[in-house]
Amino acid sequence: MNEPLAEYTNTETQLRLSREDSLKDNFITKLKLYLSIARPDHWVKHIFILPGIILAMLLIPVWSANYKSNIILGLISACLIASANYIINEWLDAEFDQHHPHKSQRAAVSGQLKASVVYLEYFACAISGILIAYFISTLFLITSLTFL
């Protein structure tokens, strides 16, 4: 008599675990879609900022005590601001990208993303990048704002 109850409980537990795994997989899949429109794979291009920094350091020998951390923070800020631009561009160009053979497969075009989450992601990247720029210097902040 206890066997059917145990089997039912076991099946119920398996279904619950299966639903939890499915929700977890769905969340991870959605997260990857939202992160992909930020294009973190393009961040490597920001390495080309370094020659300009080195040239500026050679031309202006006045360095602050925290110049190394400012360089790292500056690169992070530039990456976040670039990602904010990628995100909003991806979303706003979705209608036009429908007609492109490759871009029509992207998540923003195919309707897999929610506008509210895309805008939240945009503002999170933009504000984070601007806040970091603010802590570096006023000139860096002004320069960063021109890229938004």
Side-chain angles (χ1 to χ4, degrees):
M1 186 161 164
N2 285 339
E3 285 181 31
L5 182 60
E7 186 176 314
Y8 174 77
T9 306
N10 191 22
T11 304
E12 186 178 282
T13 302
Q14 287 174 346
L15 286 173
R16 184 178 49 79
L17 291 174
S18 177
R19 279 190 299 248
E20 288 174 2
D21 287 343
S22 177
L23 288 173
K24 181 179 159 187
D25 290 344
N26 188 34
F27 173 77
I28 291 170
T29 301
K30 286 285 192 183
L31 183 63
K32 286 180 181 179
L33 289 175
Y34 285 105
L35 289 177
S36 72
I37 65 170
R39 300 194 186 152
D41 54 319
H42 289 230
W43 289 356
V44 72
K45 293 187 282 186
H46 288 83
I47 199 76
F48 294 110
I49 295 172
L50 291 178
I53 293 170
I54 292 168
L55 179 63
M57 291 171 68
L58 293 172
L59 294 175
I60 304 169
V62 180
W63 299 353
S64 67
N66 53 355
Y67 75 92
K68 289 179 185 177
S69 62
N70 282 348
I71 290 172
I72 294 167
L73 289 173
L75 286 172
I76 293 169
S77 174
C79 289
L80 288 168
I81 290 169
S83 283
N85 287 321
Y86 287 132
I87 291 163
I88 201 67
N89 181 62
E90 185 81 17
W91 184 253
L92 296 177
D93 283 354
E95 183 180 333
F96 300 104
D97 290 345
Q98 291 176 15
H99 310 291
H100 191 277
H102 300 292
K103 293 180 181 182
S104 62
Q105 306 303 314
R106 292 181 178 172
V109 178
S110 62
Q112 297 175 356
L113 305 178
K114 291 182 180 180
S116 58
V117 179
V118 171
Y119 286 119
L120 177 66
E121 183 181 11
Y122 165 75
F123 285 117
C125 286
I127 290 169
S128 298
I130 293 302
L131 283 173
I132 293 170
Y134 171 79
F135 288 109
I136 294 172
S137 73
T138 303
L139 182 59
F140 194 83
L141 171 64
I142 293 167
T143 305
S144 298
L145 285 171
T146 63
F147 284 98
L148 279 177

